[in-house]
Amino acid sequence: MSSATGPDRSVRPAQSGDARAIARLQRAAWRSLMGQGALDAQGITEEALADQWEATLASPRPGGTALLVALHGNTIVGFALAGPDEAGAASGDSAQSGAAAVAATQVYELTVDRNFRRSGHASRLLSAVADLTGGQLRVWVGVDDEERQRFYTSAGFAPSGAVRVMGDGYTQHMWWAERD
């Protein structure tokens, strides 16, 4: 009997053996953001990224962090990396109240393969990050990155007012969402 439901779509913690797939996704996202020339100039190769991810996956994860992959069938089509946001509290952003900063989790990276976008993978990854971490969720989004702005708006995020300019002049705004 055949199933009409299609491939499994799920999220799980990243594990040993996922490094090459994560590196492929990360390099493609960075190529889209920075351009091939910038990656080449900085020597950022898929092999170098895979080596770094292998080391990361072989090490214990610090508390409050999440490294997850999205699966479409048996294929890794996305990943998310999130952890404590110490920088937000140190910068004096609007999430700080009195002497104690609100606990927050920063989504450092959330990437889905272009061929699998609009399939719910990013939403599942973000939901899993929220389930596994604490406090507010925060993410830096490029001022011109309309696709990510739409995604985070649909997920209940809003700009916090915090802005940073990277060394190459790339401007980002911090977006945040309260956890229920």
Side-chain angles (χ1 to χ4, degrees), residues 13 23 37 76 79 93-94 105 116 118 128:
I76 295 174
F79 81 98
D93 69 26
S94 61
T105 296
F116 293 91
R118 309 211 40 92

Side-chain angles (χ1 to χ4, degrees), residues 82-83 85 103-107 126-127 129-131 133-139 152 155 157-158 174-179:
D85 181 16
T105 296
Q106 182 174 338
V107 179
L126 187 59
S127 180
V129 164
D131 288 346
T133 61
Q136 291 179 342
L137 291 176
R138 300 177 182 175
V139 63
Y152 283 108
F157 284 66
M174 179 181 281
W175 287 57
W176 68 280
E178 283 291 341
R179 297 195 39 173

Side-chain angles (χ1 to χ4, degrees), residues 65-158:
T65 63
L67 177 52
L68 308 165
V69 294
L71 299 171
H72 193 94
N74 292 324
T75 303
I76 295 174
V77 298
F79 81 98
L81 175 63
D85 181 16
E86 290 99 14
S91 70
D93 69 26
S94 61
Q96 193 166 353
S97 172
V102 174
T105 296
Q106 182 174 338
V107 179
Y108 303 121
E109 208 156 344
L110 192 155
T111 299
V112 174
D113 184 301
R114 285 201 172 282
N115 297 322
F116 293 91
R117 291 190 184 158
R118 309 211 40 92
S119 299
H121 295 295
S123 295
R124 277 186 288 283
L125 283 165
L126 187 59
S127 180
V129 164
D131 288 346
L132 294 171
T133 61
Q136 291 179 342
L137 291 176
R138 300 177 182 175
V139 63
W140 289 99
V141 179
V143 68
D144 295 325
D145 193 340
E146 293 177 10
E147 181 179 13
R148 290 184 74 219
Q149 290 172 16
R150 281 191 304 274
F151 169 72
Y152 283 108
T153 297
S154 73
F157 284 66

